[in-house]
Amino acid sequence: MRKRIRKHLSSLAPGLAANTYDLLSDHNRISALILEERSYTLSLLETFILALAEYIETGDRQRVVQQSREIALFRSKQGIALACILERVRVCRDSLLEQIRRDTHRLIFTEEERLGLYQIQMDLFQFVDTLIDVFIQTYEEDEEQRKQLEMQANSLTKEDFSQVAEQELVQLVLQSTDIAVLIIDRNLRIIEANYSFAELQQVERAQIIGKNIDETFRPRENERFVQWVIERGQSGHYVADTNGTLTTVSTSPIYHQGELWGAISVLRNITDSKRYEDELTKREALAAVGQLAAGMAHEIRNPLTSIKGFIQLLKEQTENAQNSSYFSVILTEIERIDGLLNDVLVLARYRDDKISAERFLLMDEVLGVIRLLEPESNRRGIRLELDWSGDEWYIYGFRARIKQAVLNILKNAMEALVMKGSTVRISVYASINQVVLTVEDDGPGLEEKVLKNLFIPFYTKKPDGTGLGLSTTQRIILDHGGEIFAENSSRLGGARFEVRLPISN
């Protein structure tokens, strides 16, 4: 249940952050300085909400406390009032608790879980009180440190001031959450490591300070990057895989009074950047293939239309029953080819001038698809269950394409129940500025390999499948500014698809 709550709140984090910001603005409880940096404040609010959501699942207080200290220290140095920060923390907490209360029916399934949810809400309320104390303490410590520096400022020489500034800079670097820093002496002993480095290496920071780096981490011989600075005088820039995280590693010597004192290593996580580059390369390749596919689809359709017309003419002129059945098979196969070409055009983002975008009710299309599939589901003994409050939501786009996407998902769910299962549940509800459609079944579910390749064109596990259904569906949803996710259902045990589309106001 905790994992379910975290996942739900994490998906709503951007909207909750925006609501929190708007609430503070509406009540004039936010300083002019924060209002001038809306995007950054929204980012901090979202980060704090995500940290609380993670705490609900893991119960790890230390990580959230450390993160809160860093935020408090940074905001204190910016000169932002403590009262303003505390107000933001309280409103974040209230927004989270209110969201949990509103979505109780989606988060729990048993009375035992209901009691557990009450305990989670109480614990979250008390934990935020603890974090408020952390913010207050950090502000007081920073204020005290600032006063001490001001008292010393009058007696500092230019050289002394430079040393203090360097120390402050070092502390800011060591407290950074973006980069991991490691410092060793010439005996390969770890002198300093920040929390980001400890987190990257999955160790406790206090346990590695003062230890020999080779004995602590036992790196491969070709990855002793910072050691090479001491042993070979070789500094440089490298790329490494650190516990599954792709990082850049920059190393440099540290000299004191002309002698080599030690070495420093700076590591930066580039996993997301690498993923983005790979995704960009993949999209560019797909775009090129899509343009080629669109051109080929048009060229194939032209002779196909002529063939279809002549077959229909021959069928009308032939009275032989056997030949007539042959013609019917040929026409059926031509229709199938035409359907495949339509899927290819959708993947290539082809826009038919005859189809225009409009504002329409999503449930009209969902109910239409359910009515269309009911005869087949009744014949096969499959229950189509609809969980819908009766509310109506408008979306903007291409009505026929959205209907096709919903039809593809429901047909996939019904086809998954060939060997096991008899229920397909469709749930539709609103979440902030999106309408959410989920389709779950009690079939065999999705294997890990299938989940990874689910939306790749032409990937299929069906003997007679084309592998274009779900990739076409994903393209339709993305073109409408939406999102689509797939996982295994914790409720029914089979597959679960979730579609999110922006509501048109």
Side-chain angles (χ1 to χ4, degrees):
M1 179 180 68
R2 289 178 177 273
K3 183 177 182 180
R4 188 160 61 239
I5 294 172
R6 176 198 177 179
K7 185 175 181 180
H8 180 68
L9 293 178
S10 296
S11 68
L12 301 179
L16 288 172
N19 286 349
T20 300
Y21 185 92
D22 292 340
L23 181 61
L24 291 168
S25 302
D26 291 344
H27 291 79
N28 297 318
R29 293 182 294 181
I30 191 165
S31 73
L33 181 57
I34 294 183
L35 285 172
E36 289 171 1
E37 50 177 33
R38 175 185 171 89
S39 60
Y40 185 71
T41 303
L42 282 174
S43 174
L44 282 181
L45 289 170
E46 184 177 346
T47 299
F48 187 67
I49 289 170
L50 289 171
L52 291 179
E54 181 180 353
Y55 167 71
I56 288 175
E57 179 185 355
T58 64
D60 184 0
R61 292 191 167 214
Q62 183 177 358
R63 181 182 174 85
V64 185
V65 167
Q66 178 60 30
Q67 195 172 35
S68 298
R69 288 188 189 279
E70 292 169 357
I71 292 174
L73 184 62
F74 182 68
R75 296 310 244 173
S76 174
K77 292 188 181 302
Q78 283 187 311
I80 307 247
L82 175 61
C84 176
I85 299 297
L86 298 184
E87 182 70 4
R88 183 183 66 189
V89 171
R90 292 191 185 97
V91 174
C92 274
R93 173 182 64 188
D94 295 344
S95 297
L96 271 179
L97 291 174
E98 176 61 21
Q99 190 67 45
I100 293 173
R101 186 191 65 78
R102 279 202 303 266
D103 295 340
T104 297
H105 64 287
R106 297 194 187 101
L107 299 174
I108 63 173
F109 305 132
T110 65
E111 281 303 315
E112 183 179 355
E113 287 188 343
R114 183 180 297 277
L115 294 174
L117 185 63
Y118 289 149
Q119 183 60 46
I120 288 171
Q121 290 172 285
M122 184 179 300
D123 180 50
L124 182 62
F125 190 92
Q126 294 173 345
F127 179 50
V128 174
D129 278 344
T130 302
L131 293 180
I132 287 174
D133 292 337
V134 170
F135 275 90
I136 294 172
Q137 181 183 359
T138 304
Y139 259 70
E140 290 175 348
E141 290 174 353
D142 187 54
E143 179 64 23
E144 182 62 29
Q145 185 178 13
R146 189 180 297 115
K147 287 180 179 178
Q148 291 179 1
L149 288 175
E150 288 175 356
M151 291 173 60
Q152 296 170 3
N154 293 331
S155 59
L156 287 176
T157 65
K158 185 175 181 180
E159 182 179 355
D160 291 333
F161 181 79
S162 176
Q163 292 176 354
V164 171
E166 289 176 2
Q167 291 172 4
E168 284 289 308
L169 179 61
V170 169
Q171 288 304 312
L172 284 174
V173 171
L174 292 177
Q175 292 170 8
S176 170
T177 58
D178 295 328
I179 57 174
V181 180
L182 171 72
I183 300 175
I184 63 172
D185 65 13
R186 55 190 170 196
N187 296 317
L188 306 185
R189 191 164 54 94
I190 298 173
I191 300 301
E192 183 58 86
N194 66 354
Y195 285 101
S196 293
F197 180 83
E199 182 178 350
L200 183 65
Q201 296 289 350
Q202 300 175 2
V203 296
E204 291 293 331
R205 175 179 175 276
Q207 294 177 357
I208 63 174
I209 301 298
K211 302 291 182 63
N212 183 284
I213 184 173
D214 284 332
E215 295 175 359
T216 304
F217 296 111
R218 302 186 186 281
R220 290 189 289 266
E221 189 60 35
N222 62 342
E223 292 185 351
R224 299 177 68 250
F225 306 126
V226 70
Q227 293 92 318
W228 292 342
V229 177
I230 306 297
E231 298 169 346
R232 309 177 184 175
Q234 174 184 329
S235 57
H237 305 279
Y238 316 92
V239 176
D241 186 335
T242 308
N243 293 324
T245 300
L246 197 62
T247 59
T248 58
V249 184
S250 299
T251 61
S252 180
I254 299 175
Y255 287 97
H256 180 63
Q257 295 182 351
E259 294 185 7
L260 179 65
W261 180 88
I264 183 171
S265 176
V266 177
L267 298 83
R268 183 178 291 273
N269 184 346
I270 60 168
T271 303
D272 291 338
S273 300
K274 180 64 175 174
R275 188 182 297 117
Y276 175 77
E277 290 176 5
D278 292 344
E279 182 66 22
L280 189 61
T281 302
K282 186 189 298 181
R283 290 192 179 192
E284 289 174 350
L286 285 175
V289 173
Q291 291 177 357
L292 176 63
M296 291 184 62
H298 280 299
E299 293 302 319
I300 293 171
R301 264 185 168 172
N302 291 332
L304 196 65
T305 302
S306 300
I307 293 170
K308 182 178 179 181
F310 281 113
I311 291 295
Q312 288 173 332
L313 184 62
L314 288 172
K315 182 180 179 182
E316 293 171 0
Q317 295 176 352
T318 303
E319 297 181 358
N320 187 309
Q322 184 176 7
N323 288 345
S324 180
S325 66
Y326 292 157
F327 291 142
S328 296
V329 171
I330 294 171
L331 287 171
T332 300
E333 291 304 307
I334 289 175
E335 292 291 342
R336 185 165 178 264
I337 294 172
D338 193 57
L340 290 174
L341 291 175
N342 183 62
D343 287 344
V344 169
L345 288 172
V346 171
L347 282 173
R349 284 185 163 178
Y350 166 73
R351 292 288 182 265
D352 191 339
D353 293 335
K354 298 178 181 178
I355 303 177
S356 58
E358 59 181 315
R359 188 169 177 263
F360 61 93
L361 290 169
L362 174 65
M363 288 309 299
D364 285 354
E365 307 311 312
V366 174
L367 293 173
V369 171
I370 292 175
R371 284 193 294 269
L372 181 66
L373 295 177
E374 271 181 344
E376 175 69 12
S377 66
N378 291 334
R379 185 182 68 80
R380 293 174 52 187
I382 297 173
R383 293 194 311 276
L384 293 179
E385 300 178 354
L386 177 61
D387 180 10
W388 171 45
S389 64
D391 294 335
E392 299 281 6
W393 305 282
Y394 281 94
I395 64 173
Y396 184 81
F398 300 93
R399 183 189 295 265
R401 295 275 167 82
I402 291 296
K403 185 172 184 177
Q404 179 187 352
V406 176
L407 179 62
N408 287 348
I409 295 173
L410 282 176
K411 282 179 65 178
N412 267 11
M414 291 174 59
E415 290 170 1
L417 304 182
V418 173
M419 303 298 295
K420 173 192 173 185
S422 61
T423 302
V424 175
R425 179 175 297 165
I426 305 103
S427 302
V428 190
Y429 60 92
S431 173
I432 306 179
N433 59 348
Q434 293 179 316
V435 57
V436 182
L437 167 72
T438 64
V439 177
E440 300 174 271
D441 63 67
D442 60 348
L446 301 168
E447 300 174 3
E448 189 67 28
K449 181 181 178 182
V450 174
L451 274 171
K452 290 180 179 178
N453 299 286
L454 202 56
F455 297 108
I456 295 178
F458 305 108
Y459 176 83
T460 180
K461 297 283 285 186
K462 303 174 187 175
D464 57 346
T466 63
L468 288 176
L470 285 177
S471 52
T472 301
T473 299
Q474 185 188 48
R475 171 53 57 209
I476 291 171
I477 300 302
L478 292 177
D479 284 351
H480 284 77
E483 301 170 291
I484 182 170
F485 309 97
E487 60 182 356
N488 285 312
S489 171
S490 58
R491 185 184 306 184
L492 297 183
R496 180 182 185 275
F497 284 82
E498 179 177 306
V499 173
R500 291 176 170 264
L501 290 165
I503 295 175
S504 174
N505 296 318

